[in-house]
Amino acid sequence: MSSTELPGVQAVAAAADPKVAAVRVADGEKLRSVSLPGLTLTVRSRPSARTGLPPALYVHGLGGSSQNWSGLMPLLEDVVDGEALDLPGFGDSPPPDDGNYSVTGHARAVIRHLDASARGPVHLIGNSLGGAVSTRVAAVRPDLVRTLTLVSPALPELRVQRSAVPTALLALPGVAGLFRRLSKDWTAEQRTRGVMALCYGDPTRVSDEALHNAVEEMERRVQLPYFWDAMARSARGIVDAYTLGGQHGLWRQAERVLAPTLLVYGGRDQLVSYRMARRAAAAFRDSRLLTLPDAGHVAMMEYPETVAQAVRELLDDCGRS
């Protein structure tokens, strides 16, 4: 493995492709590029003033990036040595050489990063697609996972919410291209506000600064030549994972997870049904449940302090045991 520190605002990357702006790096954060055979991952870290802290890894959801964790990471920097990665094809990570955007493919990328960095076992924290990926990682490689925190994990539902159907339709051949053509005149702010309306329980809670940063990232992202392909293939990967049965089914794998697990569900989640919280709590053998009635799909961005406190309690109990 090779790991290369990136300049503060990734000026080198921007210069290589002047059409695409640099990725934003918040104060106190660092980015580095991790090269593996057939795979390159961008990893965002927030070095703590303390040494010897247990490692944590944050995994974002569909259409997200490591920036989704920039609100939570500083709230936990005194208890974990945190890293957040950009899954292949998202954030600042290029597509994988093999074009595999399945849940298993993303899980394999996480496992390869943890194996190569020798950081495991980690406190693994995932949202949405990242929750499904993290569930698979914890099931197949229990040696890599110390605790598991899942925020609105994308686990199979028999009755998908109507509000989640448009996202699921991205998995169908040609739909992503059609939507791209239909929305070609949309501004980055229009796109961003649409995403926030879908993902937040109350979009008015988003600060002007956070909205500005999100619009800036949307402007950068839609210029990437592989943006729509990564979205469509990853959406297809989620749908395929929902239909898998037997030992490879996500609910069956949830039952195999040995790590103490924190489940976080939002009452206003339009993508993962709130009613799945009880099933998830029963499936994971050593679980605790945090329900936030006013939260949407990204509770760690809407209520970072509340989520951070729940993670701290999980870590404290894990340490005592």
Side-chain angles (χ1 to χ4, degrees), residues 202-222:
D202 181 5
T204 64
R205 290 175 55 90
V206 180
S207 68
D208 291 342
E209 180 183 6
L211 176 61
H212 171 77
N213 293 337
V215 170
E216 190 177 71
E217 171 62 12
M218 181 65 75
E219 288 176 335
R220 186 195 71 83
R221 193 173 296 180
V222 296

Side-chain angles (χ1 to χ4, degrees), residues 79-98:
V79 291
V80 296
D81 177 15
E83 290 187 346
L85 59 76
D86 289 330
L87 290 171
F90 293 94
D92 203 41
S93 292
D97 286 0
D98 63 2

Side-chain angles (χ1 to χ4, degrees), residues 103 107 124 126 128-141 145 148 150 153-155 249-257 261 263 284:
V103 170
L124 188 58
S128 190
L129 165 63
V133 168
S134 297
T135 297
R136 184 148 291 173
V137 172
V140 302
R141 288 293 302 275
V145 182
L148 182 64
L150 305 176
L155 299 174
L250 283 169
W251 284 115
R252 181 71 63 86
Q253 293 194 324
E255 295 170 353
R256 291 168 50 191
V257 171
T261 302
L263 300 162
F284 290 89

Side-chain angles (χ1 to χ4, degrees), residues 160-280:
V160 177
Q161 296 183 100
R162 183 175 300 175
S163 53
V165 170
T167 303
L169 288 176
L170 283 176
L172 296 177
V175 171
L178 174 62
F179 184 74
R180 179 180 186 177
R181 292 191 295 272
L182 292 175
S183 63
K184 64 182 176 63
D185 294 327
W186 292 9
T187 66
E189 182 170 343
Q190 287 175 316
R191 294 178 189 274
T192 302
R193 289 188 180 277
V195 171
M196 287 182 169
L198 183 64
C199 292
Y200 281 73
D202 181 5
T204 64
R205 290 175 55 90
V206 180
S207 68
D208 291 342
E209 180 183 6
L211 176 61
H212 171 77
N213 293 337
V215 170
E216 190 177 71
E217 171 62 12
M218 181 65 75
E219 288 176 335
R220 186 195 71 83
R221 193 173 296 180
V222 296
Q223 294 180 65
L224 296 170
Y226 51 82
F227 170 77
W228 287 107
D229 187 58
M231 286 288 291
R233 288 173 182 262
S234 291
R236 195 171 305 141
I238 295 174
V239 172
D240 289 346
Y242 273 32
T243 61
L244 272 179
Q247 63 179 346
H248 299 296
L250 283 169
W251 284 115
R252 181 71 63 86
Q253 293 194 324
E255 295 170 353
R256 291 168 50 191
V257 171
L258 301 176
T261 302
L262 167 65
L263 300 162
V264 183
Y265 280 82
R268 295 184 178 179
D269 194 331
Q270 299 182 65
L271 295 171
V272 170
S273 176
Y274 189 62
R275 67 176 182 268
M276 302 305 294
R278 185 167 296 180
R279 179 177 180 181

Side-chain angles (χ1 to χ4, degrees), residues 39-114:
L39 188 68
T40 300
L41 300 173
T42 295
V43 179
R44 183 179 303 265
S45 61
R46 191 174 185 92
S48 174
R50 294 173 54 195
T51 59
L53 293 176
L57 184 67
Y58 303 83
V59 187
H60 65 81
L62 179 67
S65 75
S66 58
Q67 293 186 59
N68 290 20
W69 303 102
S70 288
L72 184 64
M73 289 176 71
L75 300 179
L76 294 172
E77 65 181 354
D78 62 320
V79 291
V80 296
D81 177 15
E83 290 187 346
L85 59 76
D86 289 330
L87 290 171
F90 293 94
D92 203 41
S93 292
D97 286 0
D98 63 2
N100 188 345
Y101 289 99
S102 67
V103 170
T104 296
H106 285 311
R108 189 177 298 120
V110 172
I111 290 170
R112 290 178 62 192
H113 169 61
L114 289 175

